[in-house]
Amino acid sequence: RADGSVWRDAAGLGWSNPYDRRVWKYNVDVAVAAARAGFDEIMFDYVRFPSDGDVAGAVYGNRGGLSKREAVPAFLRYASRRLEPYGVRVSAAVFGLSASRDLGVGQLPRRFAPYLDTVYAMTYPSLFGPGELGLADPSRTPGETVARSLARFQKRLRGHDVLIVSWVQDFSFTRPYGLEEVRAQIEAARIAGAKGFLLWNAEGVYTDGALAPAA
């Protein structure tokens, strides 16, 4: 904050400074250690600026003349170059809405694409508000929500040699989600041509049968 105290988001969490090259180096040092240990892919999660709380009250030092729109792609370029000697794939997780509009957090998939092998799109239906993607209630139509979101990612990333993988919502938020809702998202991702999917539940509790072959 302007008074020198630590800025915190709505959940009370402090954030590292996405502009600071010391943060870049630390994160990529960890990634390099993982690559040396034998991991074949490094996915950067939360590769963005904070999105909630008093974001206008956050003061960033060491900006180096970069805007938010420039800082995150610049970090990924730095990470990609440092990881190239290890032959690992480099990827990032991004908000599902980032393919629809600039969210002000530095996530612009098309700017990321030159430095990534895979974009992991967080297409959780509960993250889309009423009217988003042309749907009255995206959380009520999980399959259609994922399909429309992935279509926007495909449009944004056209011409770039990057894979798109969908994160699938396996948790209840605005409405209960069970096997039917989870399977609808998986099927939509398959039909849309996504190169796979990942399930997400913050508690690590996943729906029985979600990964079973379709009947």
Side-chain angles (χ1 to χ4, degrees):
R1 294 186 173 277
D3 63 4
S5 61
V6 175
W7 182 90
R8 299 186 184 278
D9 64 16
L13 302 175
W15 284 63
S16 56
N17 181 356
Y19 290 110
D20 198 318
R21 270 51 171 193
R22 293 171 298 177
V23 173
W24 294 14
K25 182 179 183 304
Y26 175 83
N27 285 332
V28 179
D29 283 350
V30 174
V32 166
R36 286 176 170 168
F39 289 91
D40 60 7
E41 180 175 358
I42 304 297
M43 180 173 68
F44 291 100
D45 194 9
Y46 269 67
V47 58
R48 61 178 178 84
F49 285 79
S51 59
D52 56 274
D54 177 24
V55 293
V59 177
Y60 299 100
N62 303 315
R63 293 183 58 162
L66 297 176
S67 66
K68 289 183 179 180
R69 294 165 59 93
E70 297 167 328
V72 183
F75 164 74
L76 290 174
R77 181 176 63 242
Y78 165 78
S80 176
R81 289 174 177 173
R82 281 196 55 196
L83 288 166
E84 186 175 6
Y86 303 97
V88 295
R89 298 178 61 80
V90 180
S91 57
V94 301
F95 280 138
L97 274 169
S98 66
S100 299
R101 63 174 185 270
D102 186 348
L103 300 173
V105 297
Q107 285 192 346
L108 291 94
R110 191 168 181 82
R111 291 194 178 194
F112 285 13
Y115 316 116
L116 299 177
D117 296 291
T118 306
V119 168
Y120 288 90
M122 297 161 59
T123 55
Y124 313 134
S126 291
L127 294 186
F128 296 89
E132 296 281 5
L133 304 174
L135 298 169
D137 184 357
S139 64
R140 187 183 291 274
T141 55
E144 184 64 20
T145 299
V146 169
R148 295 192 185 192
S149 179
L150 289 177
R152 297 198 178 189
F153 274 96
Q154 290 165 345
K155 181 178 179 180
R156 287 283 183 270
L157 298 173
R158 190 172 297 147
H160 290 280
D161 185 20
V162 60
L163 303 180
I164 303 172
V165 174
S166 181
W167 279 101
V168 168
Q169 177 181 334
D170 193 2
F171 59 89
S172 299
F173 187 58
T174 54
R175 62 180 62 253
Y177 264 40
L179 182 59
E180 180 179 348
E181 290 78 14
V182 174
R183 292 299 293 268
Q185 295 172 78
I186 293 172
E187 181 66 5
R190 185 188 67 79
I191 293 173
K195 301 304 179 181
F197 65 91
L198 297 169
L199 300 182
W200 175 248
N201 181 301
E203 296 180 349
V205 180
Y206 295 94
T207 301
D208 286 341
L211 301 180

